[in-house]
Amino acid sequence: MPARRIGKKAMTNAQRQKRYRESKKPNSTTSKRRRRAAREQALAAKTLAASEALCSRLYGVLYVDPPWQGQPDDRDSWHNKSAENHYPTMTVDELAAINPPTAPDCVLFLWTFTSLLDAAVDLIRRWGFVYKSSCIWDKSTADGTGRMGIGHWFRYEHELLLVAVRGVVPAPAPGTQWRSVIRAPRGPHSEKPEVFAAMIAEYYPSLPKLEMFARQPRDGWDSWGNEANPEATAATTGDGRAAAHQSRRRRSAMTST
């Protein structure tokens, strides 16, 4: 059959059929986002079902800012304001002794420093997670300019937020990923900008979320510590040292602001 002209371009039947099929295909990125949203919602339902079966609340998202022992001091330490003067710090062994109430499928967002990266990866493994990725908090002052810290190899102006997974957890859908470097102002000692919790909630809107070593309650989240959700506090070691630490840290943080 001779080619049929359409406008200035001659097309065969096969070419016209291919063009028709292409026009009916759904947008690939949109389809992936829909599938990812469905997976996240299904995982949330699975997590809640596991919680009911165990009669204990489990979480699909952990957001943790550990009170690392041996964390690098910033410029404030020169004025006797190091971490140990704000709250009791914990060793990796003490942190690893905590038993977070995680679901079989869970994603962990863990704050650490460049100098403590090895300790953070060790804690990730001991909690049963696998490291996946990270993003950077580029610290700024209130006016948006950078603020140079101190350090042995480099002058630190950032902290790391590590991402780890246990089981099967969907990564963000294509086109929804945040940039790996986020500039945000510093707050009181060790406090992290709200933008990171907002990012996590945007990635996982349906999954139950727990913030460990939280400074204050956050809508849509549970907060860990003996001043917060008692079910979450039950995840501490048997002698309650971690929960007591959390209480002291929160009171110190409030008095230091």
Side-chain angles (χ1 to χ4, degrees), residues 25-35 174:
K25 283 184 178 179
N27 180 277
S28 176
T29 300
T30 300
S31 297
K32 289 179 179 178
R33 290 180 183 179
R34 289 174 179 170
R35 289 197 296 270

Side-chain angles (χ1 to χ4, degrees), residues 171-189:
T176 67
Q177 303 97 327
W178 285 45
R179 292 177 179 269
S180 63
V181 179
I182 299 174
R183 169 164 281 203
R186 295 168 178 254
H189 187 93

Side-chain angles (χ1 to χ4, degrees), residues 72-102:
D73 293 333
D74 61 14
R75 194 183 304 272
D76 288 339
S77 67
W78 301 347
H79 301 286
N80 199 33
K81 293 183 179 180
S82 64
E84 284 76 9
N85 293 325
H86 285 260
Y87 45 77
T89 57
M90 298 176 71
T91 66
V92 175
D93 287 340
E94 290 172 333
L95 291 166
I98 300 171
N99 182 27
T102 57

